[in-house]
Amino acid sequence: MAKLTLRAESSYLFSHTTSTSHSQPSSFTSAPKRRRLLSFPSKHSLKFRVFCSIKEKESVKKVNGLPAGDKVHRVGSGSDSEGESGLESGSGAVGFDLDWPPWKNIPQRYKLIGTTSLAFVICNMDKVNLSIAIIPMSHQFGWSSSVAGLVQSSFFWGYALSQLPGGWLAKIFGGRKVLEIGVLTWSLATALVPFVAGFTPGLIVSRILVGIGEGVSPSAATDLIARTIPLEERSRAVAVVFGGLSVGSVAGFLLAPPLIQNLGWEYVFYIFSLLGIGWYVGFQFLEGQASWVGSRSDMRTAQQTSPKELGDSLKDVPWKAFFRSEAVWAMIYAHFCGSWGHYTCLAWLPTYFSEELNLNLTEAAWVSILPPLASIFVTSVASQIADNLISSGVQTTTVRKLCQTIAFLSPAACMTLSSLDLGLPHWEVVGILTGGLALSSFAISGLYCTHQDISPEYASILLGITNTVGALPGVVGVALTGYLLDSTHSWSMSLFLPSILFYLTGTIVWLVFASSKPQTFTKGD
């Protein structure tokens, strides 16, 4: 008796076994050692194998209609080797294999950027959730503006502390592993918030842990981009990844109000934390499918690195050379100035819209969506402009200076108009602030690309340095805004004026000292 195994690949799955006796030979098996190719008229592209005879295995044959560039895979283990296919001689099975998962044939660097961007979406969702929840929480626990500012600023304590360690760990273990641990850390810490909200020290500790988890993420992402993305694609890659922060802000402001009104403010933290845990689980699956380039080698590096080697690697970082560079100092100060305006507005704009413009919780949250929503559009436009200018021969330093200048002067001008008593209607104030804060996203193609420009090797550590200083406005500025608001009862003095001053001085320092010229940092410098 001869058995036939027919394997085809299309959009359906089925199995069948055909056996014939000697008295009734089948036309398919009349020549036991002969291979035949079958073709069925169909709108679906088919690929199939015919295994005929007792000890014979067939390679894949392609049928007319196979799309160009499609890859052929075995049903079963997915391995290309016969030994791993799990097919025994004489076995009979007919099956169709989908081209699954759908992202299988996407270039690895795009998978890398897309997954990292999704992590940043969840990152900002867990950052802004407290900006909305702080309003009902303050009412429930009787917090003043000063206490609310202290609670919100505690996130940035952990965020600042984890920047340099995050940059160093990303360089040693690779950005993929550091990002994975960071997402899990901040997600679990987010889930703790409702349990400790009534105990202020515990609440502060939980938010510090969220800050630590999120604090290592920018350096991890910068390491990934610097090592895998070419210069002519770098602005777009940075825009997609860090643009996830704007998407996360929009998603957070959209989802938080209905969750609070229908389920209670606690569920904002429960549900958002589950998204991060889900990302972590999905990341493990993607690693198991080898979807991330070099993930295996990163794990081997981590396992083979001893504590002594870690210490030696830390000593090998040319710290003194970094701080002798004017370009590095320009990045540090620019990061501080940009973060002051960004973090204070991120934390206090919902309250500003609620108290100053007399909007309810849902209206304040929806209006708060507008700046990050507009930033998504501005980021994509700015990155295209920057990459096109560089590709056409404009000096990289010139492009970075132009983008960062727009990022600073635009919000400064709009905040000045909003802080003056011009008798503008509320919708015009919202529109002015939205435009200014959206244009500040030009920094993605300015400051945030400069770390990779001047040193791909140390980009993660350089971002760790600048982001450490850039996190200080979150620690000081957010709390100081609440204190000034209690003291002056003026949003112009407490929220807008300090940001305007830093935007203006940051522009001057950036234009004078910034540079994207590649630098070789050595300990002998």
Side-chain angles (χ1 to χ4, degrees):
M1 179 177 69
K3 289 187 177 181
L4 175 144
T5 301
L6 174 63
R7 171 161 302 177
E9 297 184 12
S10 182
S11 57
Y12 303 97
L13 291 176
F14 66 92
S15 64
H16 179 67
T17 302
T18 302
S19 299
T20 59
S21 64
H22 293 289
S23 61
Q24 294 178 332
S26 168
S27 60
F28 289 93
T29 58
S30 58
K33 294 186 179 181
R34 189 177 175 183
R35 304 175 184 177
R36 295 191 178 189
L37 187 63
L38 305 180
S39 178
F40 302 94
S42 173
K43 66 180 180 179
H44 299 285
S45 298
L46 296 175
K47 301 173 292 185
F48 61 87
R49 306 182 181 92
V50 177
F51 293 92
C52 196
S53 188
I54 297 176
K55 297 183 179 180
E56 191 174 22
K57 294 183 178 180
E58 281 291 316
S59 60
V60 176
K61 298 191 183 295
K62 300 180 181 178
V63 180
N64 294 335
L66 179 66
D70 274 12
K71 295 182 179 180
V72 179
H73 299 273
R74 290 186 179 278
V75 178
S77 68
S79 172
D80 288 332
S81 65
E82 288 291 336
E84 295 176 358
S85 68
L87 292 173
E88 297 292 334
S89 62
S91 65
V94 179
F96 289 90
D97 188 17
L98 292 171
D99 191 15
W100 191 263
W103 56 81
K104 179 172 58 178
N105 294 326
I106 297 176
Q108 295 292 346
R109 68 182 186 277
Y110 297 153
K111 296 178 186 177
L112 187 72
I113 296 304
T115 313
T116 306
S117 180
L118 180 58
F120 274 43
V121 171
I122 301 170
C123 173
N124 247 31
M125 290 179 68
D126 287 332
K127 185 184 296 182
V128 305
N129 53 12
L130 189 61
S131 300
I132 301 298
I134 197 71
I135 299 174
M137 291 173 72
S138 296
H139 294 159
Q140 178 177 336
F141 298 109
W143 293 338
S144 65
S145 295
S146 297
V147 174
L150 178 65
V151 170
Q152 293 197 80
S153 70
S154 61
F155 165 90
F156 296 98
W157 304 356
Y159 193 78
L161 289 173
S162 59
Q163 293 301 315
L164 276 176
W168 171 62
L169 291 172
K171 186 177 185 301
I172 299 301
F173 295 100
R176 287 173 286 275
K177 197 66 178 176
V178 174
L179 181 65
E180 168 191 345
I181 295 173
V183 173
L184 183 62
T185 300
W186 89 57
S187 299
L188 294 176
T190 296
L192 289 176
V193 171
F195 296 100
V196 296
F199 180 57
T200 303
L203 176 59
I204 289 175
V205 170
S206 69
R207 292 299 291 179
I208 290 174
L209 291 175
V210 174
I212 290 174
E214 295 195 11
V216 302
S217 303
S219 295
T222 299
D223 177 81
L224 294 176
I225 295 170
R227 296 179 185 274
T228 60
I229 305 300
L231 176 62
E232 60 272 14
E233 296 181 9
R234 191 167 294 159
S235 296
R236 280 168 287 180
V238 174
V240 171
V241 171
F242 286 88
L245 296 174
S246 297
V247 177
S249 297
V250 171
F253 286 134
L254 275 175
L255 295 175
L259 288 175
I260 292 173
Q261 291 178 341
N262 296 311
L263 300 175
W265 60 263
E266 297 89 348
Y267 284 86
V268 172
F269 300 98
Y270 293 146
I271 294 174
F272 285 14
S273 68
L274 287 176
L275 294 176
I277 295 171
W279 184 95
Y280 174 83
V281 173
F283 179 85
Q284 303 304 312
F285 173 77
L286 288 175
E287 274 200 324
Q289 297 299 319
S291 294
W292 290 61
V293 178
S295 59
R296 301 295 185 187
S297 62
D298 282 348
M299 287 189 289
R300 286 196 296 270
T301 301
Q303 293 170 352
Q304 296 171 359
T305 304
S306 66
K308 183 179 183 302
E309 290 172 331
L310 289 176
D312 291 340
S313 67
L314 185 60
K315 294 177 182 177
D316 290 338
V317 176
W319 301 103
K320 292 183 178 179
F322 292 156
F323 294 107
R324 291 194 183 106
S325 170
E326 291 181 347
V328 171
W329 281 108
M331 290 192 299
I332 290 173
Y333 188 67
H335 211 140
F336 178 89
C337 295
S339 294
W340 188 286
H342 176 72
Y343 290 145
T344 55
C345 286
L346 189 68
W348 286 104
L349 270 185
T351 305
Y352 168 78
F353 291 140
S354 176
E355 296 184 358
E356 184 71 7
L357 304 186
N358 297 317
L359 304 179
N360 60 38
L361 178 65
T362 302
E363 292 170 340
W366 276 74
V367 170
S368 299
I369 291 172
L370 297 178
L373 187 62
S375 294
I376 298 172
F377 172 75
V378 172
T379 297
S380 61
V381 172
S383 62
Q384 292 287 348
I385 293 174
D387 281 345
N388 290 338
L389 288 174
I390 292 173
S391 298
S392 64
V394 180
Q395 289 188 353
T396 306
T397 297
T398 303
V399 175
R400 304 306 183 207
K401 285 186 175 183
L402 173 63
C403 291
Q404 192 60 39
T405 299
I406 295 173
F408 278 166
L409 293 184
S410 298
C414 292
M415 286 183 180
T416 300
L417 291 175
S418 300
S419 62
L420 297 176
D421 188 12
L422 301 177
L424 298 175
H426 292 167
W427 67 268
E428 289 188 7
V429 175
V430 171
I432 290 171
L433 287 175
T434 296
L437 294 175
L439 289 171
S440 69
S441 296
F442 265 85
I444 297 296
S445 299
L447 169 66
Y448 284 89
C449 287
T450 309
H451 305 80
Q452 297 96 305
D453 292 340
I454 67 176
S455 179
E457 180 182 4
Y458 294 109
S460 62
I461 295 180
L462 287 172
L463 183 64
I465 293 172
T466 66
N467 228 8
T468 298
V469 180
L472 295 180
V475 177
V476 179
V478 173
L480 181 62
T481 300
Y483 174 78
L484 291 175
L485 188 60
D486 278 341
S487 302
T488 65
H489 303 286
S490 170
W491 285 100
S492 297
M493 294 294 295
S494 59
L495 181 60
F496 296 132
L497 183 59
S499 298
I500 293 170
L501 293 176
F502 284 120
Y503 280 139
L504 295 178
T505 57
T507 301
I508 295 172
V509 171
W510 185 259
L511 289 175
V512 174
F513 298 107
S515 174
S516 289
K517 182 179 179 181
Q519 300 186 30
T520 303
F521 296 105
T522 62
K523 296 194 70 173
D525 288 348

